[in-house]
Amino acid sequence: MFSLGAPATTALRNPRRRQRTGSEDSGAVRRLSKRLKRSGFTSETFKPLQNTSANGELCSREPTPSVNSFVRDIDSGSPVTHDHASLAIRNRGGKKLDRETREHKSDGSVELTRNDTYSVSRLATTPAQFQSHRGSVKWQGQLAPGIGYAVATTQVEALVWRYKQGANASDASKPLIIRLPHAAPNAKQPLPLALLVPSSPEPGLLIVRPVSGKITYWETLSSAANVDLNRQKQQAIQGTIVGLASGEHATNIIEAEPQGFLITINPGKIAHLSIADPDGKASISAQILRDTSAHDGGIFGSLRNVFGGGGSLRDVAAVKASNTVHKGQRGCIIGTSRGLLQLWELNWNLAHSLKYEVDVKAKLLESIYNIGVIPCDRESQRFGVLDFVILPSSATGQELISSGHRSITKLLVLTIASAAGDSRYTLHVVEIADGTVDIPVVHPISCYTTPTSLDSSSKPTLLVPDQSETAYVMFEEAVVLVSLEEVPDSPDSQLRTETAKAPDQFQDVIEFHKEKGYRVVGCAVDVPEKCYKGSACTVMVQGYGLIKVSVAPLAEGLTFSERATITAQTKLEQAVFYGPQQSLLDFSGRPEVQFATEEVEDAAIRISRSIASSSSMHLSTAGPSTEQHLQRRATALSDLIKHLSKHYQPMRPSIRWKLLWEAEKMAAAKAIWRCYCDAVASKPKEEKVLLYELVECISEQDKTENRPDEHETDPVRHWLVHDVWRLQILLPWVTKALNLLYEESLEDNMPMSSAYRARLISEAHDLQLVALQTAYGFRQDNTSLYGLSEDTMMLNVPIEEGSGIPEIWTSTPLVCEAVRTLAECFQEFVTDLDSHNSSDEEGNSAPQKLLEKTAQSNARLVDMTCKIHTERVRLLQADDNLVVRQQGQELERLSNTYRRDLLRGLVNIGLYHPAIKLGEKYGDMEALAEVLESEIQTSREELDNNLMAGEETDEVCAKIALCQGFVDKYFVKYGESWANAFFARFVDQGRISQLLVHGPKQRMHMTSFLRSHPECAAFSWINEVAVEGNFAAAADDLGRAQKQADTVWAKKVQLSMSKLATLAAVTNKQRDEDSATLVIHHIDCRAEVLDAQEQLYECFKPTMRRALNDTPAKVDVVMEQYFKRFVKAKKALRSAMKINVKKVAEEKVLDVEDLVDTISLMDEDGLDPNGDFAAGRFLTAIKLVRSCIFETGEVARRELMEKIIWRRCIIQDNWSKINRTEKKGDAQVEAETVATALFNTLREGFKSSRFHARDQSLTLPTNTKPDVWDDYPPLKPSSLLGSGTTVESLRASSRYDLAPDNALEVIARDLSIEDGVLQICIGEGRLEKWWSGIIDAARMSVRNEADRVGEDNSRRRETERGFRNQMNRDHKALWGVNTTDGDELGLDEEGDVTMGI
């Protein structure tokens, strides 16, 4: 025992223990060898590693200097290697393993995560005892990387094992369990401190009880592991730290110099411990460090503000041993949490002295304030130093002692600044030189802000490996990596250097699962391996084991800024490929490291594609089981979406769709592989497998090519490994491969047998079906997982919600076409077999079972065809682009046609019931109607042929009854939709008359069908009259029917019948008189148009007789006779007139405006000048325009047409010639004026009284007969100029709404010619001057004619009166009766005798 009063006190060995001599040592070794056979150690346990190193807590026993608290050889700078070659406890007969064998032997570790910067692996050498304890039993651990040992302690025992495999792997897993003396009376006391002491021939073990201060040291692990507790106690060297006050306890122990250690005592003492006396014999001595020199001045100042009585510091943060310069001497640096650094000189005989101290708190605070890590409100901040390490520099702490602090000491200091629950950690590079403190670089830690108490026993530990540029910060539940690399000069780096903030460099956090109780209980820097520029450290995690964190050097081609960026892809890859496989690391992400949603989405897409293409570095591309390889990739895709859904914000629907599709393809690939295996197992040896040939056929740009130089010879496996994401390309190649194989057989003069071809078609069906059915099944089962609702999955969404959905791979145009083509291929194949009753010459006909099996597959393939077409139609119709939606409508029409053709094909190959089921499934009433009605018709034709036996007749009759039962059932089940499709079948086949003979159950649906289909109006009116008795509806049907009539006669008949039906409706009280009157008026207006066309036909009729029945000839002669002058040079008008004349010749109905154009463009010379048509044709045209066009309310359209009519009427005559009146009498001028078309039109208008006024457009004309020009006076010539001569003026009329601009330009050019002639008439003919005179002359002419008619009527009445008087006289003379007061003979307006009864 010893006391603090002596400089060093030795606790003597047990007096019963005999000192060993050389000979006795040999015997002892042999006895130890026997005991080791009973313990957990073997002959290989203490075999040394190739390299040894030490961290700040365990160094070599030899006096070597230390950098950053790690032992280094002074001369070479390489780690010290302990020679244990003569370790006496090895089995003499054991096999010696050479160094090369150990270097290349697998260590059996398990990789926990990896990226381009670092990797984490679990060492396989952790004992099960340590792995099994989590929260119930606490452990304290220490690592000795120089010798590859680890020790973990509880209150009662220590566990020692070799974690670096320098021996057999089986030996490494056998731990040494050591019973610890001086058990603590309370289980809540701090755990004992353990330290492995490197020595020869085997390590020793040092145990310190924190509260009692009792120290136990075994020179060898064999002694400590002795199962005999008495022998164990005898072989132990024991001592005590004297001077521990109540409440004080040891918290840490490190090596300070050979055979010396420093023990940190809470709340603030440091004890110097030695385990050897001056003679080198094992002995324990301990002394508390205290400042006895009363040193003042110097750059370190005084200790009076730091130490109190008894050598106590208030807040020791860390103690680090510096390099050794003189034998037996070593320096150490003590740092407090308040930022005070002290440099002590220690001697092997426990002598010590404080050399210098410096306060760096102010500098540390200033540095973090300058870079903005925390606010400048220093009073609200809680600041402290957590740990520090000594960095390699030109001088170490010991050199400062000898050189008078003129050199530089460089430290890396870890600090914490806390405020309002927010903690910020920072790494400071502190340089102490020439009495000054400088902080050139600051590394703020932004990826980890979990609070840590300065008073906590679990404060973080800072590690910096030798020759490494990465700092490891070990928190209790996380490991933070911070790069210390020097960034090349750049404007950004220079700007950051000016603010003392290091440019952005790599840093990341490796976090443990908190809920599982894992915590770091020990850590150490690993000994660097040869030819490896990176660094590594080993971490002891309670409840899990030892893990190794390795940081790789900067990869070639990677910039500092790229490495500094922690990407979402890296985090997602770690979570996907490593998260589900282990329970230690937590990849849920830190709140300090957030990624934009767009970055996460892009990363998810890239990872998903890398999995589908096996391009990820985390996936292998070769293996014995393709099934397992596909399953692993499918599992990775599932883990990806689960992780995204749990830990990230919701992604856009388009991204979720893409992720889902990659997973669908992977699921489909597994089904394809199984299908391929079945095909390989069942195929004949000489025949090919479709999938194999299919992959070979795919073009090079659509697949990843095999690499024969790497012996890749299996195209199917290669495709499944690299090209699953191109499944939408594989499926269209199925039919192409079939065609290529068939064509190759023909080219080789070896036609493919029916059986072979049937098998290939069957494989093609299986391939497409398993791929698509599996994909759709996966899609349906994983709706909620991918955040897609049921409506979105089926695309039954509004346009605004469905926009943005990308093209679906299962329904691309190529896939749709390929699946449909394959279904048609088999149907045609079976039809061809049936029609030719074919079989090969060798008798290799297609097996019936194979055909039946493929037929059933064909029905499913038809179902799939309908499904993918429906999907694509809905996708297009959900787009926000109008053009795309129109494409969807067109595709829907085509899809309906495809479906009916395929269902018809199923019926043709005997699959009648599947066809009906598919028709019901997709609600295709038209297809059902076609299938059922065609079956009924075909069966009835078979009965009519009378060629069947009795049994066959019964079967056919039963089939007809069954089909008719379906028909009747569908009227009840589907109602109007079925009725419309069923009746439309009759309409399409021209059997609409059969609709009128259906039973009473169908009459209601038939009436509804006819009323909803205007094209059936010609027959619907019959149903309305005969069945419904609805004359008003019949009149409406006839009104619609007349619009569909294309001949004048049919249209006129239907108008007349509509008029009769309207009158009948009024009689039967089905329509009121006012509405009926208006309807009749509209009918009369349409009849006027037909009357005008009949007049035009009668005008053409004499000329057309010359062409007999040749319609083109009729058109030619009429054009030659009536359309030479005005349309000869007008291309558009001449072409239009040919079309109109052809319709007139064929008695087809002309549009009102086409009829008006035809009437107004006729040459005056070709008409009979004495005929009524020639005189009133322009007035007729004006009436037609006013009556028919004005009904629609389109004023601009009517005005344009009227102006064109008036212009054509004026230019019919040469007004320039009429204007030249020289040498003409009034009679000649008057005769020339009266002969003009303008005069005749005006005169006919004054004579007409049938045309109603503008305000009577919607009512019948009154009994008054106003002049036709009263409300619509003739238009002056000048107002007609420019009408229709430009595209813009033509666009004002709705007649030209759909006409393209180029066509309107031609029409405007033709009308401009007319306008030019009118300008001549106005200019040279002075028509404006003549205008009012011509109108007065026309009015006067009508009045004169009226006067003549009046005089004629007066004379006629006088004649009638004389005749009547004479008749009365004669009657009286003959019969004696006077008729003056009786009935009188009367004459009507035409002068005929009126008869009466």
Side-chain angles (χ1 to χ4, degrees), residues 452-574:
T452 297
S453 174
L454 292 173
D455 302 328
S456 173
S457 60
S458 59
K459 290 190 297 184
T461 301
L462 177 61
L463 299 178
V464 178
D466 248 356
Q467 299 179 350
S468 173
E469 296 177 338
T470 302
Y472 299 78
V473 184
M474 303 295 174
F475 291 90
E476 187 176 22
E477 296 179 339
V479 179
V480 175
L481 306 178
V482 181
S483 174
L484 306 177
E485 295 170 311
E486 294 185 3
V487 180
D489 290 339
S490 66
D492 180 67
S493 63
Q494 292 177 3
L495 182 61
R496 291 173 178 267
T497 303
E498 293 176 359
T499 61
K501 180 181 179 181
D504 290 337
Q505 292 192 352
F506 172 82
Q507 58 177 254
D508 198 5
V509 58
I510 303 169
E511 192 170 17
F512 305 152
H513 283 288
K514 297 181 177 60
E515 67 277 3
K516 297 185 178 181
Y518 297 128
R519 66 186 186 91
V520 174
V521 295
C523 57
V525 173
D526 283 2
V527 177
E529 299 178 2
K530 287 185 177 180
C531 302
Y532 183 70
K533 298 181 179 180
S535 62
C537 69
T538 302
V539 184
M540 184 181 293
V541 181
Q542 178 175 337
Y544 190 80
L546 298 182
I547 63 172
K548 181 178 181 180
V549 182
S550 302
V551 177
L554 185 65
E556 185 177 355
L558 191 67
T559 64
F560 285 90
S561 59
E562 291 173 341
R563 177 165 178 169
T565 304
I566 302 298
T567 63
Q569 181 172 351
T570 300
K571 289 298 182 182
L572 287 176
E573 285 177 338
Q574 289 178 313

Side-chain angles (χ1 to χ4, degrees), residues 684-697:
K685 292 183 179 180
E686 66 278 2
E687 294 182 359
K688 300 177 180 179
V689 179
L690 179 62
L691 182 58
Y692 186 95
E693 302 300 325
L694 167 62
V695 175
E696 290 286 345
C697 291

Side-chain angles (χ1 to χ4, degrees), residues 972-1141:
V972 178
K973 183 177 181 180
Y974 298 111
E976 185 177 351
S977 60
W978 163 252
N980 291 341
F982 184 70
F983 293 139
R985 177 77 177 166
F986 288 84
V987 175
D988 295 339
Q989 294 183 346
R991 297 186 291 123
I992 192 172
S993 59
Q994 298 181 14
L995 294 177
L996 303 177
V997 297
H998 280 286
K1001 294 182 180 180
Q1002 301 177 7
R1003 284 179 180 174
M1004 177 182 66
H1005 295 294
M1006 182 181 62
T1007 300
S1008 176
F1009 169 79
L1010 293 174
R1011 288 178 177 176
S1012 61
H1013 288 73
E1015 66 274 10
C1016 300
F1019 295 90
S1020 179
W1021 72 271
I1022 300 175
N1023 179 72
E1024 296 291 351
V1025 174
V1027 179
E1028 304 293 336
N1030 191 335
F1031 294 98
D1036 295 337
D1037 288 338
L1038 287 167
R1040 288 190 291 269
Q1042 62 87 19
K1043 295 180 181 179
Q1044 302 168 8
D1046 59 348
T1047 63
V1048 175
W1049 179 85
K1051 194 177 186 73
K1052 201 165 188 178
V1053 169
Q1054 288 168 344
L1055 281 174
S1056 301
M1057 295 178 68
S1058 177
K1059 189 173 183 179
L1060 289 175
T1062 301
L1063 295 173
V1066 173
T1067 302
N1068 288 273
K1069 306 299 182 180
Q1070 296 174 352
R1071 177 166 285 174
D1072 61 87
E1073 293 186 2
D1074 292 340
S1075 62
T1077 302
L1078 185 59
V1079 170
I1080 292 173
H1081 170 60
H1082 290 165
I1083 293 174
D1084 291 341
C1085 290
R1086 296 187 185 100
E1088 287 183 6
V1089 178
L1090 298 179
D1091 292 340
Q1093 185 167 342
E1094 285 183 339
Q1095 293 177 18
L1096 183 62
Y1097 179 81
E1098 293 298 327
C1099 179
F1100 291 163
K1101 190 173 182 179
T1103 304
M1104 290 189 296
R1105 287 174 180 167
R1106 301 199 302 263
L1108 300 178
N1109 291 327
D1110 187 0
T1111 300
K1114 290 180 181 180
V1115 174
D1116 292 339
V1117 297
V1118 170
M1119 292 296 295
E1120 182 65 26
Q1121 176 72 22
Y1122 297 102
F1123 299 95
K1124 292 189 298 182
R1125 184 161 63 96
F1126 281 101
V1127 299
K1128 184 176 181 180
K1130 302 169 184 175
K1131 181 179 179 181
L1133 295 179
R1134 183 174 179 83
S1135 177
M1137 288 305 102
K1138 284 186 177 182
I1139 297 174
N1140 295 346
V1141 170

Side-chain angles (χ1 to χ4, degrees), residues 401-423:
I401 297 174
S402 59
S403 60
H405 60 266
R406 290 188 300 270
S407 300
I408 297 176
T409 294
K410 185 182 293 186
L411 306 178
L412 183 65
V413 180
L414 174 65
T415 64
I416 181 174
S418 302
D422 185 21
S423 296

